[in-house]
Amino acid sequence: MESLRWRKSSRSSAGGPDCVEIALDARGAAVRDSKNADGVRLKFGDAGWDTFLAAAKTGSFVS
């Protein structure tokens, strides 16, 4: 995952608590907290990424 090109999500707040970066590759995607670039990263295959996006779009992760 070290060679991935990370980009900030368009849904991230400017300097706020909600800062997410994604990196796409041929096998799927990775997600990380942009405030902690060396921290935990979630890695998804293509099907898992589609499921993650669908859940995010419906607000399934809001507490």
Side-chain angles (χ1 to χ4, degrees), residues 1 4 22-25 27-31 42-46 49:
M1 271 199 278
L4 294 175
I22 63 168
L24 302 175
D25 68 14
R27 295 173 299 236
V31 180
L42 302 176
K43 179 73 173 154
F44 299 93
D46 286 335
W49 181 239

Side-chain angles (χ1 to χ4, degrees), residues 44 46-62:
F44 299 93
D46 286 335
W49 181 239
D50 290 342
T51 301
F52 178 83
L53 287 179
K57 288 177 182 177
T58 61
S60 296
F61 300 123
V62 177

